[in-house]
């Protein structure tokens, strides 16, 4: 399989006042096209930080990140935002839907950044909602949907621009077991049937079982799974 993501000697630190906090150090990681990777590790180990770097939400302090051959660590803010809009779908623990907008409008949102016509935006959003099994809830607002349904709307929003990569930060962290299984089954389907490459942070070993393999972070570095045995 071709490499989609190539991370070399990645480091990230934050400075607060005089204090420098090293959050990630010497991370080397390659992720193949079509992979479904679970990322686990203790709270504060740097999982969200790494995920945000992979998705181009944040810039590294050192090292390189290539996605699909593009050095995203060298892109400036505007170019990076543009790259994100067409290459990455984000799925968060708390869905991050706009409360005043219907499911349909929430899913259409990322398409406002594109040149698509209003009719085409509407059509693409409908197709995405159908794919997550919520065509019949298109006019519902988030408050009129269950947590699991809200997360499926968020997944529809993440895939509506047809990005190659989905990054998910504890996507089932706020869901009951049944809704979590629905969401994980959906992610697995997007991976297997639609070729999406998925990087998913989770604390739940049962959720990680849906991925094709699991990596562990500890104190800002990738560690061998055996280290936890
Ligand atoms: N903007 C920031 N400024 C300073 N420190 C930060 C910032 N963002 C994260 N950190 C620090 O980086 C470390 C890793 O944070 P991160 O959110 O990546 O952890 P995590 O593995 O996702 O944890 P959790 O499982 O609790 O979500 C923490 O010590 C955190 O305090
Ligand atoms: Mg986190």
């Amino acid at each position: 399989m071709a490499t989609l993501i190539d991370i070399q000697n990645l480091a990230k630190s934050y400075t607060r006042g005089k204090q420098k906090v090293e959050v990630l150090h010497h991370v080397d990681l390659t992720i193949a096209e079509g992979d479904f990777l679970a990322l686990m590790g203790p709270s504060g180990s740097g999982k969200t930080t790494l995920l945000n770097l992979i998705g181009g939400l944040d810039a590294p302090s050192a090292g390189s990140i290539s996605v699909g051959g593009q050095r995203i660590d060298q892109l400036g803010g505007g170019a990076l935002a543009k790259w994100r809009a067409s290459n990455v779908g984000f799925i968060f623990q708390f869905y991050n839907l706009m409360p005043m907008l219907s499911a349909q409008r929430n899913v259409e949102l990322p398409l406002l950044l594109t040149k698509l016509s209003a009719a085409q935006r509407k059509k693409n959003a409908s197709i995405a909602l159908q794919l997550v099994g919520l065509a019949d809830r298109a006019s519902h607002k988030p408050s009129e949907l269950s947590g699991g349904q809200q997360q499926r709307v968020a997944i529809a929003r993440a895939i509506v621009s047809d990005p190659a990569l989905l990054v998910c930060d504890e996507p089932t962290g706020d869901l009951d077991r049944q809704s979590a299984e629905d969401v994980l089954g959906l992610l697995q389907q997007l991976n297997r049937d639609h070729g999406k490459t998925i990087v998913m942070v989770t604390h739940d070993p049962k959720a990680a079982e849906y991925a094709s393999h699991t990596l562990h972070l500890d104190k800002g570095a990738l560690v061998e799974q055996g280290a936890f045995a």
Side-chain angles (χ1 to χ4, degrees), residues 105-126:
R105 289 285 185 195
N106 265 287
V107 176
E108 273 180 47
L109 270 185
L111 300 179
L112 294 177
L113 300 166
T114 67
K115 292 196 177 87
L116 292 179
S117 69
Q120 193 64 49
R121 289 201 300 265
K122 202 170 167 201
K123 188 173 168 209
N124 290 11
S126 299

Side-chain angles (χ1 to χ4, degrees), residues 15-213:
T15 336
R16 185 168 290 154
K18 285 182 189 160
Q19 192 191 5
K20 188 174 161 189
V21 186
E22 262 208 27
V23 178
L24 293 174
H25 26 251
H26 307 301
V27 173
D28 292 314
L29 173 62
T30 57
I31 301 173
E33 234 171 64
D35 204 352
F36 184 172
L37 172 66
L39 198 55
M40 301 188 77
S43 183
S45 57
K47 302 180 299 296
T48 294
T49 304
L50 179 57
L51 204 62
N52 288 347
L53 291 172
I54 289 173
L57 280 177
D58 203 354
S61 308
S64 65
I65 310 178
S66 302
V67 182
Q70 165 91 50
R71 280 285 298 267
I72 63 166
D73 57 285
Q74 294 179 336
L75 294 176
L80 190 58
K82 217 168 176 182
W83 174 83
R84 267 197 319 263
S86 50
N87 292 281
V88 195
F90 293 91
I91 297 155
F92 304 98
Q93 179 175 3
F94 298 110
Y95 332 127
N96 293 12
L97 298 172
M98 303 289 276
M100 301 306 291
L101 298 181
S102 66
Q104 169 82 25
R105 289 285 185 195
N106 265 287
V107 176
E108 273 180 47
L109 270 185
L111 300 179
L112 294 177
L113 300 166
T114 67
K115 292 196 177 87
L116 292 179
S117 69
Q120 193 64 49
R121 289 201 300 265
K122 202 170 167 201
K123 188 173 168 209
N124 290 11
S126 299
I127 293 170
L129 273 174
Q130 200 164 3
L131 212 145
V132 302
L134 286 176
D136 57 339
R137 294 289 195 277
S139 61
H140 289 229
K141 296 219 171 94
S143 62
E144 299 162 348
L145 297 167
S146 72
Q149 288 169 336
Q150 289 182 62
Q151 192 60 302
R152 279 150 63 200
V153 172
I155 293 173
R157 179 184 57 187
I159 60 173
V160 75
S161 311
D162 199 22
L165 173 65
L166 298 179
V167 299
C168 319
D169 198 349
E170 304 190 38
T172 59
D174 201 44
L175 297 178
D176 64 77
R177 177 59 50 198
Q178 183 57 51
S179 303
E181 280 175 15
D182 292 347
V183 161
L184 291 161
L186 182 57
L187 290 176
Q188 202 168 51
Q189 182 196 340
L190 290 168
N191 173 248
R192 286 185 183 164
D193 303 345
H194 300 267
K196 302 294 178 200
T197 303
I198 301 181
V199 185
M200 174 179 76
V201 165
T202 183
H203 281 286
D204 178 5
K206 281 214 170 73
E209 281 173 16
Y210 284 76
S212 26
H213 60 279

